[in-house]
Each structure stands twice: as structure tokens, then as C-alpha cells.
Amino acid sequence: MPAESPVISGRDIIKTYGKGDGQFTALRGVSLDVKAGESIAIIGKSGSGKSTLMHLLALLDKPSTGTVSIDGQDAGRLPGRTLNTLRNKKFGFVFQQFFLNGGASVLENVILPLKIAGVHGRERRRRGLEALRQVELEDKAKNKAKDLSGGQKQRAVIARALINEPQIIFADEPTGNLDSATGAHIENLLFNLNKRHGITLIIVTHDEDLARRCDRQLHIKDGVIDVAPRPRRGVRL
Amino acid sequence: MRLIDIFTTASGNMFRSKLRTTLTIVAIFIGSFTLTLTSGLGTGISSYIDKQVGNLGGKDVLIVQPIGQGPGSDSGPKAYDPAKKTSATAFGTTTTALTDSDITKIKSVSGIRSVEPNFVVVTDYIVGPNGKKYQVSANPYVSGTKVELATGDQVSNDVSERQALLPVDYVPALGFANNEAVVGKSVTLGVTDGNGKQHQITAALKGVQQKGLTNSGGMNTNEALTQEIYRTQSLGLPKAVTNNYQALLAKFDANASPGQITHLKDELKKKGYAAKTIEDQIGTFKAVISGIIAVLNAFAVIALLAASFGIINTLLMSVQERTKEIGLMKAMGMGGGRIFLLFSTEAVLLGFWGSLIGVGVAEVVGRVANHIVTTTFLKDLPGLQLLTFPPISILAIMGLVMGIALLAGTLPATRAARQSPIDSLRYE
Ligand SMILES: Nc1ncnc2c1ncn2[C@@H]1O[C@H](COP(=O)(O)OP(=O)(O)OP(=O)(O)O)[C@@H](O)[C@H]1O
Ligand SMILES: [Mg+2]
């Protein structure tokens, strides 16, 4: 595959939620290409459709009309089983919430994608500890997830996202709930993965600074890509 | 996800809400405990009956009567036919009688080895060493029968000595010191003849018979004694009556298959005879017992059905609680089928633990109950195991409970499997 051909591309994506009176169109015709190894920030106001777009690109949901292609293949035509395998093997996820199982150990939480993939116990453990080492959380492996601090939880979540050595990491507000120092630490982690391992990053964020560190920024406004966003004069979120 | 991981995950998830899981398991426990006890009771009683029927021996004997008579006859009242002979039986009723010509006719059926009259004999009293008279009934001994004995030997139909077995509760009443003191002694029986005159017959005691379902009342008398009682009670009766029999005992090959026995019965039916094995006669009794046990079992199954709603409820709550977790697993590529399997496994595990504990406790309770019952109010029925738990039925019960649990788990598991990852992840 030539370096320039997109790993993911969206064409005229429209996403409508609900039926009848309660109908709401969250995305109104979005097209974009994501190249391998690049980092993209999706920014915009709350409710503008950022998470919706990310979910569609991550093949977690299907557009109402339009197509999402992965490696040139129309994902809408792929069977569910193939999509599951794709997500399991090629994608890493950081959601807007932690989604950690508080009662289970940090290690157990981190190895979940490998468990789903059917990797054996010993191999899972080895890779789990390796991923925790990358986010400097090795010493917390045996602790219960609920006992971690907010920043530690987010690092555990990132360890979980990279444990399957993904090609693309989707991160929804990875620094949203964190103080700026911890946020910076998480940011560095992500961009290190991008630079060193060539992992493609698709980051949804409100944070202008985080967005600026990405190769490209996509501004979403009311469900469409805003090509000429007005600069936000001194407004920080 | 590999099956072993599904299993351990389901097992771990089960105890995430300990109280709820425990309560559900208790509900299943109650159902399977009850079912184990009722079915143990059923097995215990019917195997006891089978053993008693086995004691009867006579597996190779058909009781032959003219059609339209005898226990279990289904043909209703018969029109009176003056041409047909009747006999005055010991019971004082008149029935169509069988004669020596019937014996010849029945003997001619191929497969029938021998035919003997079934004498109905009546004794007035029995008297032993202490001279006190007690009522007693006589029970002609069928060769090959293994009467349950407290002591001594079976009587023999092949000797000319008049022999009898003494029912165990007559031992002290007649003045014998103990069971052992009975063997080899003799008793006197009172018999009234056709003219109303009382005679005395002496019988040698070969042993002491236990109480059982099939030999509860009468003392077993060997053929020589039976013949003598019959001869005595027939004195003074017209010849036409004495050579009439209420029933005949027809012997066939002891190895005959059920099919061959049915064929024999059909052949006899064609000739105008109703033939039943001893098992057939016990069959009705057994059917009643089985009916009662079936009703008890049905109650236990109802308890299990109630418990299954507990399973549904528990798992629905788990699915609800774990919505986000399910969403996450689906996002990470876990298929709906595996999610279904995960929750079904949890349901089956609930069933497994509930039934395991139920079956285990029932078995302990059963053993204790057996001990109490057989040493107190049912101690006169030796060999009775009121509650019996064959491993096969224990496994069947556990299988049934786990099957019910699996079915109960389908609804929650389907719900979990159908959840869209996005809706689950957005769930608050
Ligand atoms: N399942 C749904 N049913 C109906 N409306 C929905 C649904 N999911 C999202 N929406 C709507 O779609 C719009 C876009 O939602 P989305 O979550 O993509 O916003 P967002 O840009 O990620 O916002 P935020 O920054 O607050 O996370 C919102 O107005 C939301 O109410
Ligand atoms: Mg969002």
C-alpha cells in the first residue's frame, strides 16, 4: 500500500439519530481522508458531532448515508465478524469515559482486548505488563482499578488502547478530565506512540493546545466540517 | 474470546454482586432440593415394591380366571348365565368356576408348562405353646418365592410334611421366646368344614417371615398343608363344588420375554380366560404410587420454574449494570455470539451451584431421614430405603436444573448480545 493512500476515508457521511419528530441529524455530509501515520484532531463545540464522527470512523456505528472505507474497502459491505476482528486487531480506543472495571485488577482491565482476541494467559500477562510499563503504571498492575487516581486511570486506559499494537488509536477527550500537568503527560504518551511506532492518531478534543500538536485539525460545526474557522479570541475552555 | 476465558469471566462476574447471586442460588437450591427428595422418594418406594414383587417369585406364573373376573377386570358386570357353573369361594361370593376340564384346556396352550389349582383356604385360628387362639389367614406358598425371613428356611412344596412360616408378630403372641425358638416347632390350625364342624391341623414351622407389602397378613403354607386345609374345609360339600376352582396357576418358561408373555395372555384370552402375572396385579398399586410421586415431582418443578424467574431477574439486572462493559467489549471486537455465551454460561453456573448444593443437602437429609424412618415407624419393613439417590437421577436433576437455567438465561443473554456498542457506551 503506497504511503499516501488513506487508511480510512469518509465520503458524504450523514448521520441521523432517532425517528419522526425526535429526529436529529448529527452529521450533515462529512468527507475526509486519514493517512497512515498522521495525527488528526477533531475539534468543535460540545454537541457539534465530534464523538459521532469518531465512532463512525472507528466502525462502531454505521452512517445513515455515505460510506466509510478502511484500507480502500467499503466497511458497510464487510460482515460484522470482519469488522469485529478489524477493531480488535487494528484499533485502539480511548473513550470519553474510562470504562474500567473497578473491581478487577489494573492488569485484568488492560489485557481485555487480548482476552477478546483469544490470546493465551501467559502471553496476555507479558504484554499487559509491557503496556503498563510504557505508561509507567507497572507497579499498579495488581491494584484494583477503582483505587487509581484519575490520571492513573487514564494511563491505564491508554495502556489498554495500545496493548494490541494497533495501527490507529481513537481517543475521545483523552485529557478532558485531567489537570494540565497530567494532561500533558498523557499527550506526550500519545505523540510518542505516533512518532516512534507510526501509530495513526485520531483525537477528539476541546483543547486547542492539544489540537495544535496534531498534524491536522478538523473543525466540526453543527455537523459539517468548517473549512475556515474563525479564530477563537483568547477563549480557553 | 476463548471458552476457558468465557468460563472464568462468567464465573467471576457471577460473584460481583454477592448478595443477589446468593439469593438466586438459594431459590434454585430450594427447587432442586425438593426435586431430589421427591424423586428419591419415588425411586426408594418403587425399588422397594420391585424387590417385594421379586420376593413373590412366581415370575413364571400366570393367574388364570374366566374372562370377566378377578382384580382389574375392565368388562363391567356380567349377565347371569344359568348354564355357567359357579363356585362358592372362601370369600362367600359366587363366581364363574373353573373345573378340571379347564385345566386340560389351558395345558394345551403351547408355552404353558403346568397348571395347578389356586386353592383358596380359610383358617379360623392358630394356637401355639401358650394355648391362646389367634385369628390367622393362610397364604399358599408359590414355589420359587423368596419370602423375607427373620429366621429359618423357606417352606417346600415338594415334601409331604405340612409346613408353614410364622408371621413375625405371632412369635410373642403364641408364646414363643424368640424367633429362633420357632424353627422346628409346630402349631395347630383350626379349620371349619362344610358342615360347620371344626377340625385341627398341625403344621411344622420352618421359619419366621418378615412383614412386607406382599406378605403382610397371611402365613405362608406349603402345598401339603394347603391341600390338607382345602380337603378339610371341603368336607361335606357336594363334589361339584369341591372340584371347582376360582383361579388356576399356569406356569410358563421363566425366561420368557415380555412379548412371549403377552402372546400367552392373548392365546388364553382367545380360549376365554383372563391371565395376569403377579406383576400385573401389583401394577395397579405401583401406578398409584407413581402417580403420587409424579405430582410431588411436579411441585418441585414448579419451585424450579419460580427460581428460573429469579435467574432471569438477576441476569437482567447484571446486563443492565454491565451495559457499559458490554459496550466496551463489543467495541473491542467481541462478537454478539460470545457475549450471549458469556451470559448463558453465567446462567448455567447459577444453575450448577444451586443444583449441586440442593442435591448435596438433599442427599444428607435423605440419609438422616432414612435412618430415622427405618428405625422408628417403618422398622417393620426391612430392606426399605425410603429415599434412594441413584447417581443417574442425581445427574439428571442437575442437568434439568442447568437446562432450565440456560433457558432462563436466554432472555438476558439475547438482550446483552443485541446491544449496540454505541448505545451501551453512551449509557448513563
Ligand atoms: N443516540 C442518539 N440519539 C439522539 N441524538 C444523539 C444520539 N447520540 C448523539 N446524539 C446527538 O448528536 C449530537 C452530536 O453528539 P456527539 O456526542 O457527537 O457530540 P460531541 O461533539 O462529541 O460533543 P461533546 O464535546 O460534548 O462530547 C448531539 O446533539 C447529541 O445530542
Ligand atoms: Mg463527545
Side-chain angles (χ1 to χ4, degrees):
Chain A
M1 180 175 57
E4 285 308 295
S5 73
V7 271
I8 299 180
S9 61
R11 287 287 166 273
D12 310 315
I13 298 171
I14 294 176
K15 180 68 189 180
T16 305
Y17 288 113
K19 285 188 185 101
D21 284 347
Q23 209 173 46
F24 179 80
T25 304
L27 292 178
R28 299 182 288 139
V30 173
S31 297
L32 81 164
D33 286 327
V34 180
K35 283 184 233 97
E38 74 175 336
S39 56
I40 297 184
I42 301 175
I43 47 180
K45 279 195 295 191
S46 178
S48 54
K50 306 184 296 293
S51 295
T52 303
L53 178 60
M54 187 194 99
H55 291 156
L56 288 170
L57 297 178
L59 311 178
L60 289 169
D61 205 355
K62 290 195 160 63
S64 305
T65 64
T67 55
V68 175
S69 305
I70 173 100
D71 292 334
Q73 272 183 300
D74 180 359
R77 290 171 192 276
L78 294 174
R81 188 179 287 265
T82 313
L83 293 182
N84 283 341
T85 315
L86 255 171
R87 286 203 305 275
N88 186 249
K89 299 262 188 286
K90 292 197 168 181
F91 295 175
F93 292 101
V94 178
F95 293 104
Q96 222 165 340
Q97 293 159 285
F98 298 129
F99 296 127
L100 290 168
N101 176 357
S105 73
V106 174
L107 185 65
E108 276 299 315
N109 271 285
V110 166
I111 59 164
L112 185 59
L114 298 185
K115 219 181 200 181
I116 292 170
V119 176
H120 286 248
R122 198 175 302 154
E123 167 86 353
R124 285 202 302 247
R125 202 183 138 74
R126 190 185 61 73
R127 285 167 67 177
L129 289 173
E130 167 66 22
L132 282 173
R133 203 180 51 75
Q134 286 193 51
V135 299
E136 293 163 37
L137 217 55
E138 224 179 345
D139 51 332
K140 298 283 182 188
K142 287 196 178 71
N143 292 47
K144 287 199 168 171
K146 63 170 181 240
D147 298 334
L148 297 183
S149 74
Q152 288 170 332
K153 279 182 185 156
Q154 192 65 300
R155 280 190 276 159
V157 165
I158 288 177
R160 184 174 66 191
L162 56 84
I163 194 166
N164 57 344
E165 293 162 0
Q167 292 180 5
I168 309 169
I169 288 182
F170 294 90
D172 199 346
E173 310 276 10
T175 59
N177 312 312
L178 307 175
D179 63 81
S180 52
T182 322
H185 185 99
I186 300 291
E187 271 176 39
N188 290 336
L189 260 172
L190 286 172
F191 285 105
N192 266 340
L193 289 169
N194 176 242
K195 298 274 143 31
R196 288 209 202 127
H197 304 283
I199 296 176
T200 311
L201 290 181
I202 298 179
I203 304 175
V204 171
T205 183
H206 285 104
D207 185 341
E208 300 274 344
D209 290 338
L210 171 55
R212 258 194 294 276
R213 285 186 69 176
C214 292
D215 300 336
R216 209 141 62 91
Q217 294 80 32
L218 276 175
H219 293 261
I220 305 276
K221 197 182 166 193
D222 297 331
V224 289
I225 293 177
D226 192 1
V227 277
R230 250 185 295 148
R232 292 165 173 249
R233 265 157 277 157
V235 179
R236 292 291 305 254
L237 284 163
Chain B
M1 204 184 249
R2 295 187 310 143
L3 288 179
I4 175 79
D5 288 326
I6 294 224
F7 184 81
T8 49
T9 308
S11 196
N13 283 347
M14 197 168 78
F15 288 104
R16 265 157 74 175
S17 172
K18 288 194 185 63
L19 181 63
R20 200 172 58 205
T21 304
T22 310
L23 290 176
T24 313
I25 289 184
V26 167
I28 304 167
F29 157 77
I30 293 171
S32 29
F33 173 77
T34 320
L35 185 58
T36 311
L37 279 192
T38 54
S39 87
L41 195 64
T43 320
I45 292 182
S46 56
S47 79
Y48 179 66
I49 294 176
D50 285 345
K51 223 189 305 175
Q52 294 290 320
V53 173
N55 289 346
L56 275 179
K59 281 205 177 10
D60 52 351
V61 173
L62 281 169
I63 300 160
V64 185
Q65 290 180 302
I67 280 180
Q69 272 182 37
S73 142
D74 51 19
S75 43
K78 286 277 160 188
Y80 173 69
D81 181 356
K84 276 192 181 167
K85 277 192 174 176
T86 58
S87 73
T89 70
F91 304 110
T93 56
T94 54
T95 53
T96 309
L98 296 164
T99 63
D100 291 333
S101 74
D102 290 306
I103 296 185
T104 328
K105 251 168 98 180
I106 294 166
K107 264 189 189 149
S108 72
V109 174
S110 79
I112 298 289
R113 300 221 161 147
S114 67
V115 181
E116 323 169 355
N118 182 29
F119 295 110
V120 177
V121 291
V122 178
T123 48
D124 298 337
Y125 63 82
I126 182 170
V127 62
N130 66 5
K132 285 193 195 158
K133 289 177 179 173
Y134 289 92
Q135 289 186 5
V136 76
S137 58
N139 201 2
Y141 176 77
V142 180
S143 296
T145 307
K146 288 182 192 70
V147 178
E148 247 175 280
L149 295 175
T151 185
D153 295 310
Q154 306 287 351
V155 293
S156 165
N157 282 344
D158 305 325
V159 295
S160 57
E161 186 189 28
R162 293 168 197 157
Q163 299 175 336
L165 294 174
L166 190 65
V168 70
D169 40 0
Y170 282 79
V171 173
L174 295 186
F176 290 105
N178 53 37
N179 288 350
E180 282 65 36
V182 170
V183 184
K185 300 283 163 32
S186 61
V187 284
T188 306
L189 299 170
V191 176
T192 307
D193 71 14
N195 297 324
K197 195 175 159 248
Q198 221 167 37
H199 300 257
Q200 293 198 329
I201 299 168
T202 306
L205 296 174
K206 294 292 286 177
V208 176
Q209 68 188 51
Q210 291 281 21
K211 267 194 194 164
L213 288 181
T214 48
N215 57 351
S216 48
M219 66 190 304
N220 279 281
T221 56
N222 77 339
E223 187 148 346
L225 180 56
T226 309
Q227 295 266 19
E228 177 59 15
I229 300 173
Y230 188 76
R231 193 190 61 76
T232 310
Q233 74 188 24
S234 306
L235 286 175
L237 289 177
K239 204 65 189 160
V241 175
T242 54
N243 274 344
N244 289 339
Y245 316 107
Q246 192 203 1
L248 296 171
L249 300 179
K251 281 206 171 188
F252 54 87
D253 185 359
N255 300 321
S257 68
Q260 286 170 319
I261 296 176
T262 314
H263 180 72
L264 267 180
K265 288 183 196 166
D266 289 343
E267 285 297 305
L268 286 165
K269 198 172 174 183
K270 272 186 217 150
K271 292 196 190 293
Y273 301 104
K276 279 172 187 262
T277 60
I278 291 165
E279 262 182 299
D280 291 338
Q281 292 195 316
I282 302 281
T284 329
F285 179 54
K286 248 185 111 174
V288 171
I289 298 274
S290 312
I292 295 170
I293 297 295
V295 169
L296 289 178
N297 281 344
F299 282 128
V301 171
I302 289 171
L304 276 177
L305 288 182
S308 75
F309 282 90
I311 299 178
I312 298 179
N313 203 25
T314 302
L315 287 179
L316 277 180
M317 281 168 80
S318 303
V319 171
Q320 183 103 341
E321 265 168 26
R322 285 182 232 154
T323 301
K324 292 185 171 192
E325 197 181 319
I326 296 167
L328 181 75
M329 291 197 291
K330 291 195 116 181
M332 288 174 169
M334 184 140 157
R338 296 267 127 171
I339 302 263
F340 183 92
L341 202 59
L342 187 62
F343 281 88
S344 302
T345 307
E346 200 175 325
V348 172
L349 280 172
L350 284 172
F352 171 76
W353 287 113
S355 63
L356 187 72
I357 301 171
V359 160
V361 174
E363 193 151 351
V364 171
V365 168
R367 274 173 209 276
V368 173
N370 261 344
H371 182 72
I372 294 174
V373 160
T374 50
T375 51
T376 57
F377 63 95
L378 289 182
K379 71 165 179 295
D380 288 344
L381 297 179
L384 172 65
Q385 285 278 46
L386 194 57
L387 292 148
T388 312
F389 305 103
I392 268 287
S393 56
I394 292 291
L395 288 179
I397 288 171
M398 289 189 67
L400 174 77
V401 174
M402 281 156 75
I404 290 177
L406 181 66
L407 274 181
T410 359
L411 176 69
T414 313
R415 184 166 285 194
R418 290 230 181 105
Q419 265 174 21
S420 105
I422 288 308
D423 291 344
S424 312
L425 289 172
R426 283 191 191 268
Y427 179 85
E428 289 299 330

